């Protein structure tokens, strides 16, 4: 049995595959943009948390300014709450786009 596992055949590539899917998701452009913005916002908010915690330790804990620590904790709670809302929005929007894409693919394939 020779399965030709080492031979590679150049196919159309990723660009051609994405180009073929674009007409199916073209009208979902708004959801894709919103999901992308939610993704970047979530990442930025999640990355700012440790920086804020480090700032609180350096400036408030070291000087025994406990009201400052509480303000930073409240701000951290707000940041992580906003990040989770962004993640939820991203999940909902991308889930909707994926469902529409699968519906259209099935319709084209079996129509």
């Amino acid at each position: 049995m020779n399965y030709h596992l080492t031979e590679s055949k150049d196919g159309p590539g990723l660009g051609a595959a994405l180009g073929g899917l674009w007409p199916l998701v073209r009208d979902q452009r708004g959801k894709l943009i919103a999901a992308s913005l939610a993704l970047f916002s979530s990442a930025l908010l999640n990355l700012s948390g440790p920086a804020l915690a480090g700032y609180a330790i350096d400036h408030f804990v070291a000087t025994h300014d406990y009201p400052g620590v509480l303000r930073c904790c409240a701000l951290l709670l707000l940041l992580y709450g906003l990040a989770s809302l962004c993640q939820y929005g991203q999940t909902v929007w991308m889930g909707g786009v994926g469902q529409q894409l699968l519906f259209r693919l099935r319709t084209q394939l079996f129509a």
Side-chain angles (χ1 to χ4, degrees):
M1 286 190 247
N2 189 2
Y3 293 110
H4 304 288
L5 297 176
T6 58
E7 295 179 14
S8 67
K9 297 178 182 175
D10 293 335
L14 180 64
L18 291 177
L21 289 177
W22 180 247
L24 298 172
V25 294
R26 182 175 293 144
D27 65 332
Q28 301 288 317
R29 189 177 331 155
K31 286 184 181 181
L32 285 171
I33 291 171
S36 298
L37 289 175
L39 170 73
F40 290 123
S41 300
S42 169
L44 183 65
L45 289 168
N46 280 323
L47 288 173
S48 64
L52 182 61
Y55 180 84
I57 290 170
D58 291 342
H59 291 88
F60 299 127
V61 174
T63 61
H64 302 288
D65 180 14
Y66 295 113
V69 172
L70 291 177
R71 285 192 304 271
C72 281
C73 287
L75 187 56
L76 271 172
L77 185 64
L78 177 69
L79 285 176
Y80 286 133
L82 289 174
S84 61
L85 285 176
C86 289
Q87 289 171 349
Y88 176 76
Q90 174 198 356
T91 302
V92 168
W93 289 317
M94 283 307 295
V97 169
Q99 285 178 350
Q100 284 294 320
L101 175 65
L102 286 176
F103 173 75
R104 289 182 180 151
L105 280 172
R106 275 191 237 116
T107 303
Q108 279 187 357
L109 189 61
F110 298 115

